[in-house]
Amino acid sequence: MVVKTFVIAPEYVSFYVAGRREVAPVVDHDYGRIAATRDCITIPSLYSNDGDTTVVVGPLSELNQTLAPDYDGLLDTPHRLLMLSDALIDIADIPVSSTRTHIRIWVNHPIQPDHVVIGWAGG
């Protein structure tokens, strides 16, 4: 699997990683930090009028992250896809090898990152 890079400007200051469509995005009531359930992970992003957010997605084995992740958990992926989207558009569907996927996320700012790394491995 190859590492992919996307440049996005979500309208509503966040985007989502889910394993299926029709999930309810989780909201962080502490304002803008990563929030997650087993069905969906909400990741903050830079305000769209302040610029773009770069999102790097790939297998954990191919990412060179040495710092502790800002998020580390499991995501149900019944269709063996990581579905990235924002409130208005689908960004990408990334094939994964399992119906439960280990996700690690690194952000360069806790509430308005302009660089996000998402790593995955089979559950």
Side-chain angles (χ1 to χ4, degrees):
M1 196 69 201
V2 67
V3 174
K4 297 184 179 193
T5 301
F6 304 95
V7 179
I8 63 174
E11 185 74 24
Y12 297 105
V13 197
S14 64
F15 65 101
Y16 314 105
V17 178
R20 62 183 177 86
R21 307 263 185 253
E22 299 92 32
V23 296
V26 84
V27 176
D28 174 29
H29 295 288
D30 291 331
Y31 181 71
R33 299 185 186 275
I34 296 171
T37 65
R38 293 287 298 264
D39 291 322
C40 184
I41 304 168
T42 300
I43 303 169
S45 65
L46 192 63
Y47 285 109
S48 60
N49 59 346
D50 288 338
D52 295 330
T53 299
T54 300
V55 180
V56 178
V57 183
L60 285 169
S61 61
E62 295 184 28
L63 298 173
N64 296 320
Q65 297 298 312
T66 57
L67 299 174
D70 298 286
Y71 173 81
D72 189 345
L74 294 174
L75 181 69
D76 289 339
T77 50
H79 303 293
R80 296 180 187 216
L81 290 172
L82 287 183
M83 300 174 183
L84 279 66
S85 63
D86 70 13
L88 302 175
I89 63 165
D90 293 335
I91 299 166
D93 289 349
I94 309 291
V96 295
S97 59
S98 179
T99 59
R100 179 174 288 161
T101 303
H102 182 197
I103 303 289
R104 288 186 178 163
I105 300 171
W106 294 264
V107 295
N108 68 345
H109 188 277
I111 58 173
Q112 288 188 42
D114 65 359
H115 190 81
V116 176
V117 176
I118 303 168
W120 60 267

